[in-house]
Amino acid sequence: MKAFEFFDDLTSDALFKAYGKTYEELFENAARALFSLICDTSKVPDRYSVAIKLEGENIEGLLYDWLSQLLAESEINALFFSNFRVTINEGNKLDAVAYGSRASPRMGKVQVKAITKYKFSIEKTDDGFSATVSCDI
Amino acid sequence: MLPKAVRPGMRVNAVILANKQALEMIEDEAIEQLTNVAMLPGVVEPVLAMPDAHWGYGLPMGAVGAFDPNDNGIISSGMTGFDINCGINLISSNLSAAAVRAKLRELVNNSFKAIPCGVGSKGKLRLNKDELNGVLKYGMKWAVQQGYGVQEDIERTEENGAMEEADPNKVSDLALRRGMDQLGTLGSGNHFLEFQEVTEIFDEEAAKKWGIEKGKVCIMVHCGSRGLGHQIATDYLKIHEKAAEKYGIKLPDKQLACAPINSAEGQDYFKAMKCAVNYSFANRLIITHWMRGVFEHVFDQKWRELGLNTVYGLAHNICKQEKHIINGKEREVYVHRKGATRSFPDLPVLIAGSMGTSSWLLKGTYEAMGLTFGSTAHGAGRAMSREAAIKKFWGNNIKSEMEKAGRIVRAANIKVLAEEAPQAYKDVDAIIETVHEAGVSLKVAKLVPLGVIKG
């Protein structure tokens, strides 16, 4: 199963689909896709970590909040993230850790301003779930 | 014009301000988005697309929508966009293009060091909560009090560099934390800092009044409210989604999330949005201040002697409470300009080109007051996706092509140069001809880049 892939759908921005056998894997892969836009994740070792706890209205809302929170935490802590561990309880409670290292323009690609609601969705697939996410750049 | 009869539910007509060439470049989806906006409560005729319009989130980029608070009108975080007060400052100089070319590499390199840019860059300022509150409430006035810029900079900026009644209490803790270390940073993507040569003058009187002379060099700063503004937009999109449901507003597209202007959710957003507007005005002034320092160092003269005066500073992503004459009567309306620039009579208008193409100084008009709620275009607008541009162009090739043309470019990441290749954008000159012919802003001067700093 692919972790994620990008589609040439938006003139000004970026749209990806992430995949996972479970919601946890889906959330981790969506975060990997997001940070593959922002930085060269192959050059970002796990030196620092940030714990994130969130409660969403439903699973889609939780994914939106998770990715938006990662953008905020990346800027506030001046970190690029490359690895993620996610646990989801009761369908809408997230307990996660994002791992990464100090942000630097040398590893940076482009700033993602926000996660948008354009085509934003989670769908059930034959072997798990897929999420469609578009990012304002 | 798209008459309201073209789609059930449209309350007003929509107007696309474009000649044949510009119209062909506007996607069908962007036109559909325009008709979505025409369905919202309290919308005032017409909803407008500028010639640089392209598909956006909810409202197209390059569009204007006005709403009447006395007719159940709405205010929309979605329609203002994520980069609140993304905008431009233009600074004149008395330096000739030849004098700047002689020191161009040093200027570009020193500017690149002086202005934090690119994703992952560190801001030079660390604000505490009181200082950040000062920025959010007082914008450029706070910056000048701290020694960044001067009173004339304030007087030559839209809203005098600060919207009144900004309330930091309406801004989330997460947004405040994002704002603490990013003041005085350029960001990335299409944001830039350029040294531009004035190559043509079209209105001698206006150019003279604003200190613009053919053959001289200007500095253009294009950036926004950074993570603080992005977070405020994200926070209020959620609040406005719920508000729309609460107040029974049928959204044709959930990205048009909104609240009645006369509601707590509407006014809270307006007060929070003003904080981001003020942050962005202060941000561009601080960058201007540091640029003056770079020029002082390179030319060994004081910035006043070099004539580094603000020509004007303005926003092109904003919602404003303005008075307009509608059907012969003055009405107060909330005008959303998303990728659109204010064009008020005889005031400067700044329109940015893409990297390597010209930018423009224009003059606002009375015609714009009658036709477009005092608005005009904001830039070139993308014609090709970032993904397609990266596949088609190499950053290093773009850089060497620009250097062959006598332009020096530095970017935090070379890949950004491929994404931002001039060929990936619409022809800004064609857009300028359209707004000039339509009379919604008139050409004053053409500005061609010599040096470019990209985030």
Side-chain angles (χ1 to χ4, degrees):
Chain A
M1 180 187 270
K2 273 183 193 169
F4 59 84
E5 58 188 322
F6 282 87
F7 293 87
D8 193 1
D9 178 88
L10 293 169
T11 309
S12 7
D13 299 307
L15 183 141
F16 64 80
K17 271 185 188 258
Y19 306 96
K21 287 185 182 121
T22 61
Y23 281 137
E24 280 85 351
E25 195 181 15
L26 179 73
F27 277 48
E28 288 169 2
N29 285 339
R32 285 192 183 96
L34 175 62
F35 277 86
S36 77
L37 272 174
I38 296 169
C39 60
D40 183 349
T41 50
S42 67
K43 292 179 184 166
V44 178
D46 298 356
R47 292 216 176 97
Y48 298 90
S49 65
V50 173
I52 296 173
K53 283 181 194 290
L54 295 168
E55 192 171 333
E57 287 188 356
N58 51 42
I59 196 71
E60 272 187 15
L62 190 63
L63 178 64
Y64 184 85
D65 291 347
W66 158 241
L67 296 175
S68 298
Q69 187 77 22
L70 283 172
L71 290 179
E73 295 291 349
S74 168
E75 285 189 10
I76 290 165
N77 298 293
L79 296 173
F80 284 150
F81 299 124
S82 57
N83 205 3
F84 309 87
R85 290 285 170 267
V86 173
T87 307
I88 296 170
N89 296 309
E90 299 169 42
N92 70 335
K93 292 188 177 72
L94 174 141
D95 197 340
V97 183
Y99 300 91
S101 57
R102 284 275 164 239
S104 143
R106 282 184 299 106
M107 300 184 285
K109 289 182 178 172
V110 74
Q111 183 180 33
V112 173
K113 288 175 185 163
I115 306 302
T116 85
K117 291 289 176 86
Y118 174 69
K119 293 190 178 177
F120 189 89
S121 60
I122 294 179
E123 284 170 18
K124 181 89 183 75
T125 62
D126 290 344
D127 49 359
F129 302 95
S130 75
T132 305
V133 178
S134 58
C135 306
D136 188 10
I137 291 176
Chain B
M1 185 171 79
L2 288 166
K4 58 186 172 186
V6 298
R7 191 174 167 199
M10 279 175 72
R11 296 166 193 250
V12 297
N13 299 329
V15 168
I16 302 165
L17 195 79
N19 59 18
K20 194 166 176 278
Q21 188 193 353
L23 189 60
E24 280 169 4
M25 296 291 283
I26 300 174
E27 313 99 313
D28 292 344
E29 293 85 352
I31 293 168
E32 187 185 342
Q33 287 186 321
L34 207 62
T35 63
N36 285 340
V37 176
M39 294 178 172
L40 293 171
V43 64
V44 182
E45 189 161 289
V47 172
L48 293 138
M50 298 294 126
D52 54 338
H54 62 85
W55 183 93
Y57 298 104
L59 184 68
M61 284 304 292
V64 179
F67 294 85
D68 186 343
N70 297 316
D71 186 24
N72 301 315
I74 57 93
I75 182 167
S76 168
S77 48
M79 282 173 58
T80 309
F82 287 108
D83 201 357
I84 299 166
N85 191 3
C86 183
I88 301 174
N89 277 28
L90 184 70
I91 301 109
S92 63
S93 86
N94 56 27
L95 290 161
S96 69
V100 167
R101 275 201 186 91
K103 304 246 183 186
L104 190 56
R105 197 165 293 279
E106 191 182 354
L107 274 173
V108 169
N109 288 340
N110 287 10
S111 304
F112 191 77
K113 281 183 204 153
I115 313 298
C117 60
V119 62
S121 62
K122 287 188 179 69
K124 297 197 284 191
L125 301 177
R126 299 280 178 275
L127 302 182
N128 62 35
K129 202 174 173 186
D130 287 343
E131 289 168 327
L132 182 58
N133 273 347
V135 176
L136 302 187
K137 284 166 90 167
Y138 306 114
M140 281 175 64
K141 293 182 182 86
W142 177 89
V144 169
Q145 277 174 0
Q146 305 301 311
Y148 302 103
V150 293
Q151 182 61 26
E152 295 99 292
D153 296 317
I154 290 175
E155 290 159 10
R156 294 172 187 168
T157 302
E158 184 172 351
E159 293 287 328
N160 287 321
M163 286 184 87
E164 289 178 4
E165 297 179 13
D167 185 354
N169 293 318
K170 305 300 179 191
V171 178
S172 72
D173 184 55
L174 202 59
L176 294 173
R177 286 165 65 207
R178 286 179 81 168
M180 283 187 166
D181 296 345
Q182 290 192 334
L183 197 64
T185 64
L186 194 66
S188 78
N190 64 353
H191 293 159
F192 66 74
L193 177 64
E194 280 188 355
F195 312 126
Q196 303 168 336
E197 179 183 356
V198 181
T199 57
E200 285 178 81
I201 299 276
F202 300 86
D203 181 336
E204 289 287 352
E205 192 186 334
K208 194 175 175 189
K209 187 167 84 179
W210 297 335
I212 297 293
E213 206 178 316
K214 189 174 174 183
K216 296 289 165 68
V217 168
C218 293
I219 305 167
M220 184 172 274
V221 182
H222 175 217
C223 59
S225 51
R226 313 287 290 111
L228 177 127
H230 308 159
Q231 190 64 47
I232 289 172
T234 300
D235 293 338
Y236 276 92
L237 266 174
K238 274 181 85 173
I239 292 167
H240 282 182
E241 257 188 57
K242 284 184 185 162
E245 208 178 314
K246 176 178 163 185
Y247 295 103
I249 300 168
K250 198 177 159 195
L251 295 178
D253 174 349
K254 63 182 173 184
Q255 297 169 104
L256 292 172
C258 60
I261 293 165
N262 294 322
S263 69
E265 294 90 338
Q267 285 303 310
D268 285 355
Y269 169 68
F270 199 38
K271 288 170 187 169
M273 183 215 73
K274 288 174 176 179
C275 289
V277 167
N278 295 348
Y279 186 94
S280 186
F281 279 138
N283 191 37
R284 287 195 291 274
L285 181 57
I286 289 167
I287 290 173
T288 300
H289 173 80
W290 287 336
M291 285 311 304
R292 285 171 174 156
V294 168
F295 273 68
E296 283 187 340
H297 176 76
V298 170
F299 290 97
D300 196 22
Q301 272 182 283
K302 295 289 180 196
W303 68 264
R304 293 263 192 203
E305 294 163 7
L306 296 167
L308 298 177
N309 302 312
T310 294
V311 177
Y312 210 67
L314 46 71
H316 51 227
N317 271 3
I318 198 164
C319 178
K320 301 277 292 280
Q321 191 178 7
E322 292 172 351
K323 286 179 180 161
H324 289 274
I325 307 292
I326 298 157
N327 297 329
K329 282 186 185 167
E330 186 179 81
R331 279 160 73 182
E332 193 167 70
V333 291
Y334 282 59
V335 182
H336 297 73
R337 294 193 182 94
K338 186 180 178 195
T341 310
R342 191 183 72 173
S343 178
F344 280 7
D346 298 325
L347 286 178
V349 169
L350 304 169
I351 296 185
S354 57
M355 177 182 70
T357 63
S358 48
S359 293
W360 288 81
L361 171 64
L362 300 97
K363 185 170 77 174
T365 64
Y366 287 97
E367 283 83 348
M369 300 308 286
L371 291 171
T372 58
F373 301 103
S375 312
T376 187
H378 86 302
R382 286 194 80 90
M384 186 186 290
S385 73
R386 292 176 188 281
E387 194 80 2
I390 288 169
K391 281 179 190 155
K392 189 161 184 180
F393 308 114
W394 285 97
N396 277 321
N397 289 355
I398 298 292
K399 189 176 178 181
S400 50
E401 275 171 27
M402 287 184 66
E403 296 206 354
K404 269 184 213 159
R407 294 166 189 157
I408 295 179
V409 58
R410 273 205 69 175
N413 187 313
I414 198 79
K415 210 171 148 189
V416 169
L417 299 185
E419 285 185 9
E420 294 293 317
Q423 300 91 324
Y425 280 83
K426 294 178 186 175
D427 177 4
V428 70
D429 294 352
I431 285 156
I432 298 299
E433 288 306 326
T434 311
V435 294
H436 181 84
E437 283 165 25
V440 296
S441 48
L442 300 173
K443 294 188 286 187
V444 173
K446 184 176 181 176
L447 313 165
V448 173
L450 299 173
V452 183
I453 289 103
K454 294 287 292 183

